[in-house]
């Protein structure tokens, strides 16, 4: 028997693959990211979103992309898995569907600029380019980003750029050598994680989405979960713990998640 059958759940809301963007728990971090990105649509320029791993910045960004008015903007998303300059421009050209006859840096940059210009001036649906794991960007790429934002001889912003990464990204941008890039940043938010009360509300929200029993998590078990994070709740880790706790409770034929079950689920965590 699966834990969904055991608890009469219609889905596992602790699995993001079973959720829609409208199901997102709107924490303070989530609201700040949505607000900042909405502001960026009007202000243009560069936005920076940073957070430690498992905090939920990427999920919040994807929710924003899903809600984007595609009659006004065209989203493009890059998840960095490599740090070479050539691969970066190759990924960017693919993201904006730029066609270059050759694959050298000069040709790729020219094709990217032409595509961005066309999208802004001819189609009137400028790109919002999201670069995830941007802390891996090399210094020469960070320098080139400034050049990418300079089009023709006017001061118009032809696209919006959102850099997402760990706090290491902020440290890089704050270096004196990157002052020209920092000057172009109009929105910067660093996620702080879920507070104790938000951890509680996050779990309750997910259980409601799953149509689980309201008393499924005992109070002492909830306190054990909250205490584990020491005031900095990480949504992805909470999802892992809760899924493990649901499995353990089913195996033990328990109708609730007790403190012992929650502690066992926490101990089952794979270290980050």
């Amino acid at each position: 028997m699966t834990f969904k059958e055991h608890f009469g759940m219609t889905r596992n809301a602790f699995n993001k693959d079973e959720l829609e963007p409208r199901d997102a728990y709107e924490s303070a971090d989530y609201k700040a990211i949505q607000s900042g990105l909405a502001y960026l649509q009007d202000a243009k320029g560069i936005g920076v979103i940073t957070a430690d791993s498992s905090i939920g910045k990427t999920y919040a960004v994807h929710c924003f992309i899903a809600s984007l008015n595609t009659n006004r903007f065209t989203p493009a998303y890059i998840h960095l898995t490599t740090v070479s300059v050539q691969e970066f421009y190759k990924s960017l050209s693919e993201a904006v569907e730029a066609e270059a006859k050759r694959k050298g840096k000069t040709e790729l940059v020219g094709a990217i600029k032409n595509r961005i210009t066309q999208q802004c001036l001819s189609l009137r649906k400028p790109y919002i380019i999201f670069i995830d794991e941007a802390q891996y960007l090399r210094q020469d790429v960070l320098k080139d980003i400034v050049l990418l934002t300079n089009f023709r001889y006017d001061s118009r912003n032809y696209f919006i750029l959102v850099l997402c990464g760990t706090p290491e990204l902020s440290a890089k941008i704050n270096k004196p050598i990157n002052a020209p890039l920092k000057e172009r940043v109009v929105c910067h938010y660093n996620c702080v994680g879920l507070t104790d009360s938000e951890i509680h509300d996050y779990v309750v929200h997910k259980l409601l989405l799953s149509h689980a029993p309201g008393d499924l998590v005992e109070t002492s078990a909830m306190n054990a979960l909250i205490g584990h994070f020491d005031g900095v709740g990480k949504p992805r880790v909470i999802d892992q713990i809760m899924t493990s706790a649901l499995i353990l409770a089913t195996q033990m034929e328990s109708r609730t998640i007790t403190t012992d079950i929650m502690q066992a689920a926490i101990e089952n965590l794979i270290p980050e």
Side-chain angles (χ1 to χ4, degrees):
M1 177 182 290
T2 67
F3 67 77
K4 287 193 283 189
E5 293 171 329
H6 180 69
F7 289 109
M9 298 164 60
T10 56
R11 57 175 164 169
N12 176 19
F14 297 101
N15 178 357
K16 65 180 182 180
D17 293 335
E18 296 187 40
L19 296 176
E20 299 293 334
R22 64 174 180 272
D23 297 325
Y25 170 70
E26 297 187 1
S27 65
D29 280 340
Y30 180 90
K31 291 177 180 177
I33 290 174
Q34 304 306 310
S35 176
L37 292 175
Y39 168 75
L40 200 58
Q41 291 181 80
D42 296 321
K44 305 298 189 297
I46 298 175
V48 177
I49 301 172
T50 55
D52 289 327
S53 64
S54 305
I55 292 292
K57 68 180 183 305
T58 298
Y59 179 72
V61 165
H62 281 298
C63 287
F64 178 82
I65 293 174
S67 68
L68 195 63
N69 182 353
T70 53
N71 290 320
R72 292 185 59 206
F73 298 98
T74 303
Y77 179 83
I78 302 172
H79 184 276
L80 292 182
T81 57
T82 179
V83 294
S84 80
V85 176
Q86 189 69 18
E87 283 300 312
F88 168 74
Y89 281 110
K90 184 175 181 293
S91 297
L92 181 56
S93 67
E94 291 173 351
V96 300
E97 300 179 338
E99 297 183 2
K101 292 182 179 180
R102 298 179 182 178
K103 300 301 180 183
K105 175 184 171 182
T106 301
E107 291 78 14
L108 287 171
V109 171
I112 290 166
K113 280 195 169 187
N114 288 337
R115 183 73 178 103
I116 288 174
T117 302
Q118 177 192 38
Q119 196 70 25
C120 180
L121 299 183
S122 300
L123 302 179
R124 299 187 181 280
K125 293 196 296 183
Y127 277 110
I128 301 183
I129 301 173
F130 298 85
I131 300 179
D132 206 356
E133 302 298 347
Q135 72 272 11
Y136 295 126
L137 289 173
R138 290 170 43 146
Q139 180 57 46
D140 41 5
V141 175
L142 290 174
K143 180 180 178 181
D144 278 9
I145 284 176
V146 176
L147 300 178
L148 277 174
T149 61
N150 291 333
F151 279 76
R152 300 181 177 181
Y153 297 101
D154 56 35
S155 60
R156 178 172 183 171
N157 291 308
Y158 285 74
F159 72 104
I160 297 169
L161 179 65
V162 182
L163 301 176
C164 306
T166 64
E168 180 185 349
L169 173 61
S170 296
K172 283 187 174 183
I173 293 175
N174 283 326
K175 289 182 178 180
I177 194 173
N178 289 319
L181 174 61
K182 185 177 180 180
E183 290 171 0
R184 288 164 171 78
V185 174
V186 298
C187 175
H188 185 184
Y189 180 73
N190 181 61
C191 301
V192 297
L194 302 180
T195 64
D196 288 355
S197 61
E198 285 180 325
I199 294 172
H200 172 275
D201 294 346
Y202 177 86
V203 172
V204 171
H205 174 76
K206 291 294 188 77
L207 291 174
L208 286 173
L209 289 174
S210 303
H211 294 97
D215 58 352
L216 192 154
V217 181
E218 295 183 2
T219 300
S220 57
M222 181 69 79
N223 290 337
L225 176 64
I226 292 171
H228 171 71
F229 290 99
D230 195 23
V232 184
K234 297 184 174 183
R236 190 165 69 202
V237 178
I238 295 172
D239 290 344
Q240 294 170 350
I241 293 173
M242 284 301 301
T243 298
S244 179
L246 289 165
I247 293 171
L248 289 172
T250 300
Q251 293 173 344
M252 297 173 64
E253 298 184 353
S254 175
R255 304 311 301 179
T256 62
I257 294 176
T258 64
T259 304
D260 288 342
I261 290 174
M262 187 67 79
Q263 290 288 7
I266 291 172
E267 291 171 5
N268 283 342
L269 270 180
I270 298 175
E272 291 187 277

